[in-house]
Amino acid sequence: MQTARKLEDDESTCERKNILLTHITNIPGIRYRELLKLSGFSNGVIFYHLTELEGAGLIRVERKQARRITRYYPNDVSEIESTVLSYLRHPPLREIILFILENRQCNFSDIVNYTGKAISTISTHLAYLKDEGIISTKRSGGQVFLYSLANPELVAEVASKYKMCLIDKSINNFIDLVDKL
């Protein structure tokens, strides 16, 4: 009886790890809360299994203490790809990055007009992206800054490679709703 119970526990543990690993593989850069929602597991169960997966070298965990953000990646996602993905997984940053990618160079008012966000919000996001080395700036005509991507080829490659995991949740929810009709 004891052996049968142990076997069931082992199978259940393996199944939970596989579920988490599947989510991490399908959505590189997924955050802890997203894993909670998608898996339906309790906080303690997820914490235990993520610690086990990381310890076994099956996943890579990126922790940004300053912003209190933890993201999970499968091992086949390189560190440079995961860095770009972490910015592309954040919708406001993704919107700015992809706009700059599409236009090569643009000024502040172009970005504000495109996004429709507050000037202060865009300013904060641009300062962050610049500090992180994702975008660069150069002066043009006195006080006007032109924004461009520091490595547009890499951003284009990562955005193309992982486009399905970057689709907004609202689009996924809409697709689910249409499928139910």
Side-chain angles (χ1 to χ4, degrees):
M1 186 69 169
Q2 194 78 5
T3 306
R5 175 126 174 114
K6 172 98 171 100
L7 187 58
E8 278 181 31
D9 289 346
D10 288 346
E11 287 175 8
S12 176
T13 296
C14 187
E15 183 180 333
R16 288 179 181 148
K17 285 180 184 171
N18 283 334
I19 288 169
L20 291 174
L21 197 52
T22 299
H23 287 311
I24 292 167
T25 301
N26 291 338
I27 310 170
I30 192 167
R31 293 178 62 182
Y32 190 86
R33 290 236 184 253
E34 291 174 288
L35 282 169
L36 271 172
K37 288 178 187 174
L38 287 173
S39 69
F41 300 151
S42 70
N43 188 31
V45 168
I46 286 191
F47 180 79
Y48 171 78
H49 290 299
L50 288 175
T51 303
E52 291 284 311
L53 289 169
E54 182 182 14
L58 296 173
I59 62 170
R60 192 167 38 77
V61 181
E62 178 185 276
R63 294 175 179 87
K64 290 193 175 181
Q65 296 302 328
R67 293 182 66 115
R68 297 182 52 179
I69 294 173
T70 302
R71 293 192 181 277
Y72 300 89
Y73 297 93
N75 283 335
D76 63 343
V77 176
S78 72
E79 285 197 37
I80 190 114
E81 286 178 327
S82 65
T83 299
V84 173
L85 266 173
S86 70
Y87 301 112
L88 292 176
R89 296 257 313 132
H90 189 266
L93 297 179
R94 177 177 60 239
E95 187 176 23
I96 292 168
I97 291 168
L98 295 179
F99 179 72
I100 295 172
L101 177 65
E102 185 177 314
N103 293 284
R104 300 192 144 231
Q105 285 188 335
C106 41
N107 64 36
F108 185 80
S109 62
D110 292 337
I111 298 168
V112 170
N113 290 336
Y114 175 75
T115 62
K117 304 238 185 298
I119 291 171
S120 60
T121 301
I122 297 302
S123 179
T124 301
H125 288 320
L126 289 173
Y128 173 68
L129 290 170
K130 185 178 178 194
D131 289 345
E132 294 292 312
I134 298 296
I135 63 172
S136 58
T137 59
K138 73 177 185 179
R139 278 193 192 271
S140 172
Q143 300 240 342
V144 176
F145 281 104
L146 291 177
Y147 296 89
S148 60
L149 293 173
N151 190 342
E153 295 82 15
L154 175 64
V155 171
E157 179 185 324
V158 171
S160 175
K161 184 176 180 180
Y162 297 103
K163 65 183 167 209
M164 287 312 295
C165 76
L166 296 173
I167 294 175
D168 285 333
K169 290 178 193 170
S170 57
I171 294 171
N172 288 336
N173 291 340
F174 177 75
I175 291 169
D176 289 344
L177 182 65
V178 170
D179 286 344
K180 288 179 184 177
L181 296 177

